[in-house]
Amino acid sequence: MTDYVFNPPVPPTVAVAGETARFPVRRVFCVGRNYAAHAREMGKDPDREPPFFFTKPADAVVDSGVTVPYPPETSNFHYEIELIVAIGREAFDVSREAALDLVYGYGVGIDLTRRDLQFEARDKGRPWDWGKAFDQSAPIAPLHRVRDGQHPAKGRIWLAVNGAVKQDADLTELIWPVPDIISILSRSMVLKPGDLIMTGTPAGVGAIVRGDKVTGGIDGLGEIAITIG
């Protein structure tokens, strides 16, 4: 038995729809600007840029239904609804055709962002960590296992603040669909069970404040809800 200098933290996990067992989280990868309208919203050209990735710590993941504290050091706190891909098999340099074999399931998540800190880092050519990788910045609803080889390639993805819809798009609008994302990401590192991929957000991102109720969903994958505390 290994001795530790202090008790290790409990591993972060995500609920699984219809099951008591939870999905242990290893790493969280995020795809930047993966919907054309959102790329333009951020002042970029989606037709010229290959996909790029950033990360969040595994313990940024929290369940749907929680109250997320308004984070420090920001005055421009944003929501971003996203399709979540949960990896269930190990692979490296996997082809696009074989990529979906790695998927355990899918879910709905929100990439919470300190937009002012992200833009400051972007404009100075610095990493996005302070804008993206803070505490409780990745609320994720229960995952849905892949059943009968069914993978969501289309369907409405939406988010509302206090009942007013702010983001409303379709998964067909992804610039880089899930098989491409998995294949490209696997060229750089070994993907392993427990890895999560946040696949990007549609246009319509905006600020939220204390007391706001944020809800969202994806056809066939349920809904997510958080409160900003």
Side-chain angles (χ1 to χ4, degrees):
M1 181 179 294
T2 302
D3 290 328
Y4 298 98
V5 297
F6 55 85
N7 291 330
V10 175
T13 60
V14 180
V16 178
E19 301 185 23
T20 56
R22 294 177 64 92
F23 182 90
V25 180
R26 181 171 180 264
R27 296 178 294 188
V28 181
F29 299 101
C30 307
V31 186
R33 295 192 288 265
N34 201 24
Y35 287 78
H38 175 61
R40 295 186 184 99
E41 183 177 56
M42 295 292 103
K44 298 297 180 179
D45 184 348
D47 299 321
R48 293 183 178 179
E49 295 186 0
F52 70 93
F53 302 90
F54 58 92
T55 62
K56 290 177 180 275
D59 63 4
V61 172
V62 292
D63 283 338
S64 176
V66 304
T67 295
V68 175
Y70 194 97
E73 298 191 328
T74 183
S75 58
N76 195 18
F77 184 37
H78 278 211
Y79 54 79
E80 297 186 6
I81 191 74
E82 311 216 359
L83 170 69
I84 305 298
V85 180
I87 300 297
R89 292 178 55 192
E90 180 175 325
F92 174 71
D93 198 16
V94 66
S95 68
R96 185 186 188 282
E97 292 70 27
L100 293 181
D101 294 339
L102 274 61
V103 179
Y104 168 86
Y106 298 89
V108 184
I110 302 174
D111 171 13
L112 293 172
T113 302
R114 296 191 284 199
R115 189 73 71 198
D116 41 3
L117 301 188
Q118 180 200 11
F119 281 176
E120 180 182 359
R122 184 192 69 180
D123 294 345
K124 293 180 178 179
R126 295 175 179 174
W128 288 8
D129 297 57
W130 253 230
K132 290 285 191 178
F134 53 93
D135 294 340
Q136 302 186 51
S137 61
I140 298 177
L143 299 172
H144 292 253
R145 280 179 179 263
V146 172
R147 304 289 186 188
D148 302 320
Q150 297 298 308
H151 297 266
K154 61 181 180 180
R156 185 188 183 214
I157 177 171
W158 61 275
L159 180 141
V161 179
N162 301 322
V165 174
K166 302 294 186 179
Q167 293 181 277
D168 200 345
D170 195 280
L171 297 179
T172 57
E173 298 173 40
L174 282 165
I175 297 172
W176 298 93
V178 171
D180 296 279
I181 293 169
I182 293 173
S183 178
I184 294 168
L185 184 56
S186 76
R187 297 173 192 167
S188 292
M189 60 195 73
V190 178
L191 294 178
K192 294 187 177 183
D195 288 340
L196 296 176
I197 305 172
M198 305 185 80
T199 58
T201 196
V205 299
I208 41 181
V209 298
R210 294 171 180 84
D212 280 347
K213 311 290 185 182
V214 183
T215 55
I218 298 174
D219 285 352
L221 297 176
E223 298 185 2
I224 190 169
I226 60 171
T227 300
I228 307 305

